[in-house]
Amino acid sequence: MIDNILDLATVDAGVAELDIGEHDIADLVEKARAGVAGAFAATEGGKPLNLSVDLAPDLPRLEADGTRVVQILYNLLSNAARFSEPGAEVRLSVKARGGHILFVVEDDGAGIAEDMKAAIFQRFEGQAVEGRQRGAGLGLAIVKTFVNLHGGTVRIEAREPHGTRVTVSLPVSHSADIAGVAE
């Protein structure tokens, strides 16, 4: 949590910089998957995280800050796991479309109320559901911040009959003229 606060503080101060390089998308996904699997490992007879990953064939290399992309994916996956029942499936699919890479995270959890959509990417929002504490409320704020720094977009929507889908779209190639955080 301290790292998340420091990351947001550097963005707020206008000193956040991306370390752009070319990355294999499968490697970035695996790092995020391993981190989430470790954080949600089954303990005391509980059910482990049920994470499925679907990578489209022939994905291009992604020109981005690999560390920040892993943070984006980790936060999305861990958020989906926290708001799902133990052992429920969390899905990540990745595909290329129109010069962008789409990362889609879906869960079958409680879903998101329409009135929460506007606030969910704000800091310290969305941390409690049905009276249960679910985190500090920084994960999706971090996601939006780093997606914006990359010139991408993030969209969240409810799934029917329940669950949530979050779609992150990042440009395959980082534009040199992207500066600051888009609102």
Side-chain angles (χ1 to χ4, degrees):
M1 184 166 70
I2 292 171
D3 288 339
N4 287 340
I5 291 170
L6 291 173
D7 285 338
L8 289 171
T10 61
V11 170
D12 289 347
V15 295
E17 294 183 14
L18 297 177
D19 184 16
I20 302 298
E22 281 196 5
H23 298 277
D24 180 76
I25 294 169
D27 290 344
L28 298 175
V29 166
E30 178 54 28
K31 287 177 184 175
R33 188 210 58 77
V36 172
F40 289 88
T43 58
E44 299 180 24
K47 296 180 181 177
L49 176 64
N50 182 8
L51 176 61
S52 68
V53 176
D54 179 24
L55 297 175
D58 301 323
L59 288 170
R61 291 184 63 81
L62 179 64
E63 189 178 319
D65 184 326
T67 300
R68 301 308 186 198
V69 172
V70 170
Q71 276 184 279
I72 289 167
L73 296 174
Y74 175 86
N75 281 314
L76 290 176
L77 294 169
S78 63
N79 192 66
R82 273 194 302 275
F83 285 94
S84 297
E85 293 297 320
E89 184 179 31
V90 172
R91 295 166 298 283
L92 168 62
S93 62
V94 185
K95 59 187 167 188
R97 182 182 297 155
H100 286 79
I101 301 297
L102 300 180
F103 298 92
V104 180
V105 175
E106 296 179 313
D107 65 63
D108 295 323
I112 180 167
E114 194 64 36
D115 61 339
M116 285 292 296
K117 283 185 185 180
I120 199 74
F121 292 106
Q122 302 300 315
R123 296 171 195 179
F124 309 110
E125 290 293 331
Q127 64 265 34
V129 167
E130 300 168 5
R132 294 178 291 183
Q133 184 71 15
R134 295 294 189 126
L138 292 175
L140 292 179
I142 293 270
V143 167
K144 182 173 179 164
T145 298
F146 289 145
V147 167
N148 287 344
L149 280 172
H150 280 90
T153 60
V154 60
R155 184 180 76 234
I156 190 166
E157 59 191 316
R159 296 180 59 242
E160 293 298 330
H162 51 80
T164 304
R165 176 183 299 117
V166 180
T167 303
V168 167
S169 175
L170 295 178
V172 171
S173 178
H174 185 78
S175 175
D177 63 353
I178 295 174
V181 178
E183 289 298 321

